[in-house]
Amino acid sequence: MPISNSSSGTPKPSLNLVQLSDVTPKPVNWLWPGVIPKGKLSMLVGHPGLGKSTLTAAIAAIVSTGRPWPVCDVNADVGEVMFISSEDDLKDTVKPRSIAAGAEDSRIRFIRSVSVGQNRNRPFAIKKDIEKLSQYDIDLLIVDPITSNLAGVEMNNTGEVREVLELLRDYAEEKNVAVLGVSHLNKSEKSENISRVSGSMAFIAVPRVVHLLADDPDCPGRRFLFPLKGNLGPNQDCFAFSIEPRMLEGGIETSAIVWEDECVPAPSDWGVPTKPKSKLEKAKDFLITLLSKKSYQATEVYHLGEKSGHALATLK
């Protein structure tokens, strides 16, 4: 409810207040349980050449087909995916990568540009074009890379970057869409990982979840995916995968993600625990937290547990 500070006929800025007693609590709605939330802005960051676009193709493939998510084996809800991406060639790069990932391409669309007149197009700009997305019913929006869609914004100006990212954040919340922005790390090896995202610190501050993609220095081709920032839950899982070559029909060369079956210890120089909890330990923690609040029917427990990324057999 706004509180007016004007006694004249001229309206002045007022505060929009929400009384907490009027707010109904709700659980976090996850696209990828514990990893990518719906209705929120998330970021995927890493150095060039590590396979961020291959990873987003794998994520899109899982959503488009409803296949199981890595490690937790919980099936994704089948959904529509949209990319804002103008860098990779659709025919020789994007389409082969999607085929190798096993995607259902009829549920995946790409925004390549914005039509501004007869035979005239311009690049998509979040600040100008965010409202155009509202007409599409999608579950996952991937902006790769996010910096290519910030026309007119100074990358190191926190205020300008925050303003645009908040537009994405508000869109995600209003439409209940999982928004995943992709960006690079800078070259400062001495900085903490969370301070190494290129550009303004708003790229870290505004998203609710930020994941780091890094290579395994002891095993070429192996990658780690780990949350740098995740204030929606306790997930500290470090996923591991490799990027393997694929040869498609017609001699088309591409690559695909191959996930490892278990989470792995995070590298010690990331400043995180080096021994991850087992699936059973995580399920126990979930049940203790859930059932300490109130009682549930077993079927409700199984449903909530699977939505949080715990396999039915483990919960039992």
Side-chain angles (χ1 to χ4, degrees), residues 184-250:
H184 300 311
L185 293 176
N186 60 43
K187 297 179 180 180
S188 177
E189 298 290 346
K190 295 182 179 180
S191 300
E192 294 182 3
N193 281 310
I194 204 166
S195 301
R196 293 179 55 198
V197 179
S198 293
S200 163
M201 278 301 292
F203 285 111
I204 290 293
V206 177
R208 295 301 86 200
V209 175
V210 180
H211 289 281
L212 172 68
L213 178 61
D215 59 350
D216 182 348
D218 299 321
C219 183
R222 191 178 189 227
R223 304 287 188 265
F224 296 123
L225 179 66
F226 185 80
L228 281 181
K229 171 187 173 182
N231 57 8
L232 297 177
N235 177 44
Q236 294 291 296
D237 287 339
C238 181
F239 296 92
F241 63 87
S242 59
I243 299 179
E244 298 184 356
R246 292 286 187 271
M247 181 68 73
L248 305 182
E249 185 177 349

Side-chain angles (χ1 to χ4, degrees), residues 247-291:
M247 181 68 73
L248 305 182
E249 185 177 349
I252 299 173
E253 297 181 3
T254 186
S255 58
I257 298 288
V258 179
W259 296 96
E260 296 185 13
D261 293 334
E262 299 285 345
C263 289
V264 300
S268 58
D269 60 353
W270 289 358
V272 296
T274 58
K275 184 179 180 182
K277 290 185 176 180
S278 67
K279 292 179 182 180
L280 182 60
E281 290 172 323
K282 292 176 185 176
K284 287 180 179 178
D285 289 345
F286 166 80
L287 292 171
I288 289 171
T289 301
L290 180 71
L291 298 176

